[in-house]
Amino acid sequence: MKALILVGGFGTRLRPLTLSVPKPLVDFGNKPMILHQIEALKAIGVTEVVLAINYQPEVMMNFLKDFEAKLGIKITCSQETEPLGTAGPLALARDKLIDDSGEPFFVLNSDVISEYPLKDMIEFHKSHGGEASIMVTKVDEPSKYGVVIMEESTGKVERFVEKPKIFVGNKINAGIYLLNPSVLDRIELRPTSIEKEVFPKIAAEKKLYAMVLSGFWMDIGQPKDYITGLRLYLDSLRKQSSPLLASGTNIIGNVLVDETAKIGEGCLIGPDVAIGPGCVVESGVRLSRCTVMRGVRIKKHACVSGSIIGWHSTVGQWARAENMTILGEDVHVGDEVYSNGGVVLPHKEIKSSILKPEIVM
Amino acid sequence: MKALILVGGFGTRLRPLTLSVPKPLVDFANKPMILHQIEALKAIGVTEVVLAINYQPEVMLNFLKDFEAKLEIKITCSQETEPLGTAGPLALARDKLIDESGDPFFVLNSDVISEYPLKEMIEFHKSHGGEASIMVTKVDEPSKYGVVVTEESTGKVERFVEKPKLFVGNKINAGIYLLNPSVLDRIQLRPTSIEKEIFPKIAAEGKLYAMVLPGFWMDIGQPKDYITGLRLYLDSLRKKASPKLATGTNIIGNVLVDESAKIGEGCLIGPDVAIGPGCVVESGVRLSCCTVMRGVRIKKHACISSSIIGWHSTVGQWARVENMTILGEDVHVCDEIYSNGGVVLPHKEIKSSILKPEIVM
């Protein structure tokens, strides 16, 4: 079975992290974002994943080589020369997605984190016999999204409503699709939106069905949602009693600590913290609701919350970082410095406090 | 004869331009910054230039291959694994700088733009017979810099004073040195400052001499000084009656236009403007005190002053861009937008006005 992951463009919303690596390679829960999806696809028998990209193919290709071997799955790139929207890339990758088996193929949006109940989705798709299945997820504020209106009992999609002003439903497109090869015949090789042009046509022919996503869902393409997404992801690990979660007297709530990371005496870590490979958390450090990426050193008595600390950065002694502070790669916060929402580009030193949210370039 | 150019690190002060290329490759007056220096060295007979770098060697090396061939000068890189300051790189490149000839070698700071009177500097060096010569330049506000105090008649350096509170002199280190090979014996391979550790020792022995730089000088490592530097550079082209300066009824003052650029009807261009290769300036455009890099399109009736427009960007119809607006690579300012000092990272679209200076990421 095949799958396409829509990777897309520059990842500007996740800057400054995406100034160092392309977005799919930004770590989430201690592994590259895209690996969560590739592993879920591998687990249900997908043999080939096509990444639809339009930026930095060399970096992606290098990464892929490592993972193709480790995971035992074929990974290729389909590179857009102009941005093709959310449907165009499928036409571009047509030859890779169709084979003689006639099987449907998955399409995933690379920014999405969820439980990936892909096996259930295959069953759902077979049972309704339609041309396309989409996952939908319930949200509190549907007016910000594209709402999917469906027949409750069968899941048959009636229509899509973009950013509805009055309440029409609370289920939105979760960015996970299972499509028959015939869908490709509906897509031209030009910038095309799958939600606005392709799906509405299939829905009008009553061949589009929606399945409500069980478990959590988050679009982690921007820092605020990345942090919320980590909480949801770690919560789902807890529900599965995952051995990956850390335990100990210095751990509160759900915490992920890479086995190569070191944590000192007298720390208090959690809830909702991920500490990456090679990190050193010195003694007396307080971390909550934050991600600490590979190779970071947090010095003694520092306090970090609601923030993302980028690869190989350091946070000084008694420093305080909070309120959506995002440190890019190789950023060094001096001792006793305070950052309230500082967003710092790579290779910088922060010697004086940042009192209100701002970008430091 | 050999030369070393101190290229250094991340060029963060010239972001967002340096998010696309390493700083020495950022264009200044329509050619990469470092090319101004390499050409000046080639012109006085330097046969080998060593670039002391610690960032993005692959990009630099690719650039070098092109220029080695075109300029017929040998260009190599000396890569620091840790930042070595302003003297350490000389120790690292020792074997490349010394040969049997015993000739002195040049050291240039890559951020500096000047007339490069290198032939006169060689004469000066021979005539005083000391161990090291440095160029100094007169500035209005010496208290911001390291001041060099010299004996007026001979140029012998008496001492250096960092950021003097009282007036001790108005000549500062211009970042251009001519050193005997014996200077390398004074420098250890560790982070070392040439101004604070090496030169004061040589001066104490009465072997350091300073020559006052004739003509203009500017450290163009940050946008404000880059723009001032362009004015000074174009002024020096005017003084030499350079044929490169543009002429015509739509040109005011000193303007450089690449031969492959196109300028429409009814424009008014200048003073102090550089328009790079492949640019398209549509009709009715007003440009002053600005740099327009390769591949930029400025649409009709737009008005740009005191700004830098990065490679392949576009500025929309009737847009107004001023007050140190810096657009990174591939930034698109929509029609009728106003930018007052917007600093925009690469691959962005500006759809609403920027009313006060801010970074757009």
Side-chain angles (χ1 to χ4, degrees):
Chain A
M1 220 176 159
K2 314 278 179 76
L4 180 91
I5 303 182
L6 290 165
V7 169
F10 302 111
T12 64
R13 291 179 306 156
L14 258 188
R15 287 173 168 167
L17 302 174
T18 46
L19 292 175
S20 297
V21 296
K23 188 177 54 169
L25 301 187
V26 171
D27 302 276
F28 176 83
N30 290 352
K31 66 177 121 171
M33 277 168 62
I34 206 172
L35 204 57
H36 290 264
Q37 295 154 338
I38 295 179
E39 287 177 348
L41 291 165
K42 162 88 179 155
I44 51 118
V46 166
T47 51
E48 180 172 351
V49 178
V50 183
L51 306 188
I53 60 177
N54 63 25
Y55 186 56
Q56 288 190 313
E58 326 78 29
V59 185
M60 289 301 298
M61 301 281 205
N62 277 339
F63 160 83
L64 297 181
K65 290 201 196 88
D66 286 345
F67 281 94
E68 260 191 316
K70 285 183 199 164
L71 290 176
I73 186 173
K74 187 174 174 195
I75 307 176
T76 55
C77 280
S78 171
Q79 191 182 357
E80 302 163 45
T81 45
E82 54 157 345
L84 290 172
T86 45
L90 279 66
L92 186 66
R94 187 191 176 95
D95 295 336
K96 296 190 168 108
L97 295 171
I98 296 188
D99 58 22
D100 319 296
S101 72
E103 282 182 318
F105 57 91
F106 282 101
V107 176
L108 307 191
N109 180 316
S110 72
D111 286 354
V112 165
I113 285 288
S114 80
E115 305 255 8
Y116 290 115
L118 303 177
K119 199 147 176 282
D120 302 335
M121 196 177 192
I122 293 174
E123 296 304 320
F124 174 75
H125 188 78
K126 280 186 191 155
S127 76
H128 65 65
E131 195 183 2
S133 302
I134 66 174
M135 285 283 196
V136 292
T137 183
K138 286 187 197 166
V139 294
D140 295 328
E141 290 188 50
S143 58
K144 298 194 297 186
Y145 301 90
V147 174
V148 181
I149 307 217
M150 50 199 247
E151 196 178 87
E152 287 297 318
S153 47
T154 58
K156 190 187 293 182
V157 174
E158 293 171 12
R159 64 187 197 284
F160 288 78
V161 185
E162 268 299 301
K163 296 184 177 52
K165 294 192 168 63
I166 49 173
F167 184 89
V168 293
N170 64 351
K171 298 188 192 66
I172 63 161
N173 181 354
I176 301 167
Y177 319 134
L178 184 53
L179 311 177
N180 284 356
S182 54
V183 173
L184 290 171
D185 298 331
R186 299 175 180 268
I187 306 174
E188 286 176 19
L189 183 51
R190 58 171 181 78
T192 315
S193 162
I194 206 168
E195 305 93 337
K196 292 177 185 165
E197 298 176 63
V198 184
F199 282 157
K201 283 214 188 79
I202 307 179
E205 293 174 29
K206 305 196 181 340
K207 297 179 183 173
L208 176 65
Y209 288 77
M211 175 178 166
V212 180
L213 183 63
S214 52
F216 74 99
W217 178 89
M218 200 79 215
D219 175 335
I220 59 169
Q222 52 188 354
K224 181 164 78 64
D225 296 333
Y226 177 108
I227 291 178
T228 305
L230 184 67
R231 176 173 62 74
L232 295 175
Y233 172 72
L234 296 181
D235 188 57
S236 81
L237 287 185
R238 174 70 63 188
K239 287 186 176 130
Q240 299 158 22
S241 302
S242 166
L244 292 174
L245 290 174
S247 53
T249 47
N250 56 359
I251 305 290
I252 294 179
N254 302 328
V255 172
L256 216 55
V257 182
D258 187 87
E259 55 187 10
T260 58
K262 292 181 174 45
I263 300 187
E265 300 275 316
C267 290
L268 195 56
I269 314 284
D272 304 322
V273 173
I275 299 176
C279 287
V280 175
V281 179
E282 293 184 5
S283 54
V285 167
R286 177 81 183 96
L287 301 179
S288 63
R289 297 179 304 109
C290 60
T291 287
V292 177
M293 297 211 179
R294 169 188 292 275
V296 166
R297 173 178 287 267
I298 311 287
K299 294 189 179 178
K300 291 182 192 174
H301 318 299
C303 182
V304 179
S305 77
S307 298
I308 302 173
I309 311 299
W311 312 267
H312 307 294
S313 291
T314 58
V315 176
Q317 293 191 36
W318 288 284
R320 182 182 180 91
E322 59 185 16
N323 192 26
M324 297 293 308
T325 287
I326 318 288
L327 305 186
E329 179 187 13
D330 186 37
V331 170
H332 305 278
V333 175
D335 293 345
E336 302 174 45
V337 170
Y338 171 57
S339 167
N340 173 22
V343 178
V344 188
L345 269 67
H347 311 299
K348 295 289 296 178
E349 226 186 307
I350 304 299
K351 300 184 219 187
S352 49
S353 292
I354 300 167
L355 303 178
K356 54 178 178 51
E358 66 184 20
I359 298 169
V360 179
M361 196 164 71
Chain B
M1 224 175 154
K2 313 280 179 78
L4 179 91
I5 302 182
L6 291 166
V7 168
F10 303 110
T12 63
R13 290 180 306 158
L14 260 186
R15 285 170 168 168
L17 302 172
T18 47
L19 292 176
S20 296
V21 296
K23 188 177 55 170
L25 301 187
V26 171
D27 302 275
F28 177 81
N30 293 352
K31 69 176 117 171
M33 276 168 62
I34 207 170
L35 204 57
H36 291 264
Q37 294 154 336
I38 295 178
E39 287 177 348
L41 292 165
K42 162 88 181 155
I44 53 118
V46 167
T47 51
E48 181 173 351
V49 178
V50 183
L51 305 188
I53 60 177
N54 62 25
Y55 186 55
Q56 289 191 311
E58 325 79 26
V59 186
M60 290 299 299
L61 287 169
N62 276 340
F63 160 84
L64 298 179
K65 289 201 194 89
D66 286 344
F67 281 94
E68 260 190 316
K70 284 184 199 164
L71 291 176
E72 291 176 346
I73 186 171
K74 188 174 175 195
I75 307 176
T76 55
C77 279
S78 172
Q79 191 182 359
E80 301 163 46
T81 44
E82 55 158 343
L84 290 172
T86 45
L90 278 66
L92 186 66
R94 186 190 177 94
D95 295 334
K96 295 191 169 108
L97 295 171
I98 296 189
D99 60 22
E100 296 100 25
S101 72
D103 280 342
F105 57 91
F106 282 102
V107 176
L108 306 191
N109 180 318
S110 71
D111 286 354
V112 165
I113 284 289
S114 80
E115 305 257 9
Y116 290 115
L118 304 177
K119 198 145 175 286
E120 290 92 319
M121 195 175 192
I122 294 173
E123 296 303 321
F124 175 74
H125 189 78
K126 282 187 189 151
S127 77
H128 67 63
E131 195 182 2
S133 300
I134 64 174
M135 285 284 196
V136 291
T137 183
K138 287 187 196 169
V139 293
D140 295 328
E141 288 190 52
S143 58
K144 298 194 298 186
Y145 300 91
V147 174
V148 183
V149 182
T150 67
E151 195 180 87
E152 288 294 322
S153 48
T154 58
K156 190 187 293 187
V157 175
E158 291 171 14
R159 64 190 198 283
F160 287 79
V161 186
E162 269 298 301
K163 296 183 176 51
K165 293 193 168 62
L166 313 169
F167 185 88
V168 294
N170 62 352
K171 298 189 193 66
I172 63 162
N173 181 358
I176 301 166
Y177 319 135
L178 184 53
L179 311 176
N180 284 357
S182 55
V183 173
L184 290 171
D185 299 330
R186 299 177 181 266
I187 307 173
Q188 287 176 16
L189 184 51
R190 59 172 180 79
T192 315
S193 161
I194 207 168
E195 306 91 339
K196 294 180 183 157
E197 298 177 63
I198 309 297
F199 283 157
K201 284 212 187 78
I202 307 178
E205 294 174 27
K207 296 177 180 174
L208 176 65
Y209 289 77
M211 174 180 164
V212 179
L213 184 64
F216 75 99
W217 178 90
M218 200 78 215
D219 174 337
I220 57 170
Q222 49 188 355
K224 181 163 79 60
D225 296 334
Y226 177 109
I227 289 178
T228 304
L230 184 65
R231 176 174 60 75
L232 295 175
Y233 174 80
L234 295 180
D235 189 56
S236 82
L237 287 186
R238 174 71 62 189
K239 287 186 176 128
K240 301 191 296 213
S242 167
K244 291 195 210 158
L245 291 174
T247 53
T249 47
N250 58 358
I251 305 289
I252 295 179
N254 303 327
V255 172
L256 216 55
V257 182
D258 187 87
E259 54 186 14
S260 59
K262 293 182 174 43
I263 300 187
E265 301 274 317
C267 290
L268 195 55
I269 314 285
D272 302 322
V273 173
I275 299 175
C279 287
V280 175
V281 179
E282 295 183 2
S283 55
V285 167
R286 177 81 182 95
L287 301 179
S288 63
C289 304
C290 61
T291 287
V292 177
M293 297 209 180
R294 168 188 295 275
V296 166
R297 172 178 288 268
I298 310 288
K299 295 187 177 178
K300 292 182 191 173
H301 319 298
C303 181
I304 301 180
S305 75
S306 298
S307 298
I308 302 174
I309 312 300
W311 313 267
H312 307 294
S313 291
T314 59
V315 175
Q317 292 190 37
W318 289 284
R320 183 183 179 89
V321 171
E322 60 185 18
N323 192 26
M324 297 293 309
T325 288
I326 318 286
L327 305 185
E329 179 187 13
D330 186 38
V331 170
H332 304 278
V333 175
C334 292
D335 294 347
E336 300 173 47
I337 294 292
Y338 172 56
S339 167
N340 172 23
V343 177
V344 187
L345 268 68
H347 311 296
K348 294 289 297 179
E349 221 188 319
I350 303 298
K351 298 185 221 186
S352 49
S353 291
I354 301 168
L355 303 177
K356 54 177 179 51
E358 68 185 19
I359 297 170
V360 179
M361 195 164 73

